[in-house]
Each structure stands twice: as structure tokens, then as C-alpha cells.
Amino acid sequence: MTHADRAPIGIGMIGYAFMGMAHSQGWRNAKSFFDPKLEPRLVALGGRDRAKAEEMARRFDWQHVETDWRALIARDDVDLVDVCTPGDTHAEIAIAALAAGKHVLCEKPLANSVDEAERMAKAAEQARADGVRAMVGFTYRRVPALALARRLVRGGRIGRLRHVRAQYLQDWLTDPDAPYSWRLDATRAGSGALGDIGAHVIDLTQFLTDEHITGVSATLDTFVPERPMPDGDGTGQVTVDDAAVFLGRFSGGAMATFEATRYATGRKNAIRIELNGTDGSLAFDFEDMNTLRFYDASTSAETQGFTRILVTEPTHPYLGAWWPPGHLLGYEHGFSHQAADLLTAIADGTDPEPSFADGLRVQRVVAAVQASAAAGSQWVAIKDTDEAKTAGTTREVA
Ligand code: SOE
């Protein structure tokens, strides 16, 4: 197809902070490097503060600004709504956009509760009948090394899964004087480290293994219960977890350990995943995100060891669109992969992943972790809608 053949698709994005910036770059680079069948047009940027929104629209080449998200959704030149707002607004905005016939990309976690996530997943299923698509933004699935890991697991290269070890470690709240923010307010964020970064490793491990977490035993903690307001006027009560640690079981029987914390002093954005199977292991660390370590137990003892795969070959997921081997990718590239895959799904009439149903599945695990922690780390089983449907039973606790 030539440039003239590219059908345009109008993007309207609500929110322009960290995620708004990452998504803006993602849409632009998806167009430039992946040349999708639908050409994203950055039509409208939504933000309540017009001056700030106008500044970000100028910097990231958005054509128009709306200060009311409802007006943005109502625009005839907006075909897809990209929700980059705090979690307490995801359900209202996404459901309204789907009802208006707009495709939706919603940042993670999908929602602040299972109830909200269920309503969103139902709205997405209803809109799907009209060809409207919805995706939730668990972008780490689209780190090439992790997409390669999934390919190896699905190819049977590590055999039957025995252990899943997953951590998401940050340290931006270690200082007790770090200021209060919406992320520390349960009414805005739903939960703390658990739903913000724990949600990533919950989704990632279910993606990598193609299995579901069927139960958890958890503990949560809030180390600093009160923090100075950013404007210096008083303090705010922290009403979310600072750290989550939990055990889990996967539907294929594997044992799992999870950790999500904002107090891992010195760890800035360390996502560490290790999968141990009967025939091998895979290990990944986001702080070395272009490599994947693979242990193949079928090789001779003489040469056995973890291989350090540099995931920059054109045959590796997504790499064909970027640079020659050895020229590394970064955090922001996952947002281009996410945008490109969503545009392709819409153009092809297929279901983008992760779906809102995948997002709901993560929300159920988050709720089970909270329920377990509130019940003295009691084991909490998790209803899995798919299995419940087929088995005709509901193994629901959370
Ligand atoms: C938290 O600090 C955060 O910004 C998460 O909200 C993002 O999802 C993660 O990608 C980086 O860290």
C-alpha cells in the first residue's frame, strides 16, 4: 500500500502525564516503524488543565485539546480512545467510549475493583459484536525478550512448568519524606504496589505460561502511613499497600512466589521473572531488558549452563521493525509495539490482547491477594471465568 492507501484512524487520548507521554511516542513510532494498515492521527488530547494540555499537545503533535473527556469521546474525528488516567476513572471513561462505538486502549490496571473490571469486560464484549476492539495496556508483554520467552515456553523448550518466580521492585517511596500522590490514595488508585506494579507481574506470568493463577496466600504492608503533601501544606494518609508478597499456584500445578514493592532500596524498575520447568529454565531482568537467559537441560553436561540470548535479531519479536542486531531497545519501545498490535487487530478484525477479560483476570488475583492478607494470609482460591464456564461450577472466593 502507498501512503495514500493508509486509512486514517483518529486517536483521542485522555491524560498527558507519564503514560500520556509514553503513549504519544508509541502512536508516532508505531506509524513510522511498523507502517500499520491504519495510520494513527493524534487528533485530540484530553486534560482538565487547558494550559498544561495545550503545552503537551504542542510538544507531542496532538491536533486539538479537550478539557472534558466526554467531549473528546463525542468527536466524530476520534475513532479510538486511549485512557491514560488514574484507575478511578477507567471504568466510566472506557464504558462510555465503547458505548459510543470507539475502540479503547485502557492503561493498567484495568480497574480499581473486580466489579468495575467485570462491567468493563462486559461492555467490551458487547461492543465487540459491532467490531469495536478493546485492549488493556500491560506493555511488558511486548518487551521482545519476554515475547521470545513465551514463544519458547509454548514451544515446549522448558518442558512442564514447576516454578514461577516473579518480582517487581522499585524504591521511589523508600524516603519517608517522598511526597503524597494519588497513587497512595485507595479511592484514586485502588491499591498500592499490588495493583500498580504487582498487576504487571500477575499479567506477565499468566501471559508467559498461558496458565491462570488459581489461588494465593498473601501479606501486605504499609511502611509509612502518612506523607507530606506536595505543596507542603499538611500531610496525606496513605491508604494503600507499600509492598505485597504472596504465594500462588498456577492452573497447570506450578508453584509461584510474587513480590511487588516500592521499598526495594536501589532497585529502580526491576522486573525479574524466572520460570523453571522439567526440561529447562528461563530468566529475565528488566534492568537488562534486551537479554533473555535460557537453560536447556537437554544439552550435554559438558556444555550446560544458562545461555545469554541477546534479543536483537530480526527474527525476534518486533525487532524486524527496528535496528540491526546489537542496537538495543528501551522501555518506550513496548508502547510502540502495543500501538502497532492494536492497530493491526482493528484493521484485521481480530481480538487484541491483553483483552479486558485478561484485565479482569488480573483484577481477580489482586482482590484475592487483598482478601488473603486481610484473613491472616489464608489461602484464597480464585474464580476463573473460563474454567467456571466450561466446568459449570464457580470456584469463587474472590
Ligand atoms: C509506577 O511507578 C510505574 O509508573 C507503573 O505505574 C508503570 O505501570 C510501570 O511501567 C512503571 O512504574
Side-chain angles (χ1 to χ4, degrees), residues 112-132:
N112 282 357
S113 70
V114 169
D115 172 67
E116 286 178 350
E118 284 177 335
R119 290 190 289 113
M120 294 170 81
K122 184 178 177 185
E125 192 56 32
Q126 289 168 341
R128 181 176 174 275
D130 298 324
V132 175

Side-chain angles (χ1 to χ4, degrees), residues 265-341:
T265 310
R267 299 301 179 197
K268 304 305 175 183
N269 198 47
I271 303 168
R272 297 173 168 182
I273 306 275
E274 181 160 326
L275 306 179
N276 303 134
T278 52
D279 303 341
S281 291
L282 289 162
F284 171 82
D285 185 341
F286 186 76
E287 293 186 348
D288 183 16
M289 67 168 279
N290 289 277
T291 66
L292 177 66
R293 284 170 171 73
F294 173 43
Y295 185 94
D296 181 349
S298 68
T299 56
S300 71
E302 191 174 358
T303 58
Q304 264 186 357
F306 273 93
T307 303
R308 179 178 180 272
I309 304 170
L310 186 60
V311 187
T312 59
E313 296 300 316
T315 53
H316 286 144
Y318 304 105
L319 266 300
W322 297 103
W323 322 120
H327 297 68
L328 309 180
L329 300 189
Y331 168 75
E332 74 276 12
H333 292 84
F335 292 88
S336 303
H337 304 163
Q338 172 176 268
D341 285 349

Side-chain angles (χ1 to χ4, degrees), residues 212-217 246-251 256 258 365 368 379-382 395:
H212 305 149
I213 297 168
T214 57
V216 293
S217 168
F246 54 103
L247 305 176
R249 277 282 184 174
F250 277 77
S251 44
F258 291 88
V365 178
W379 189 264
V380 173
I382 297 161
R395 299 180 289 115

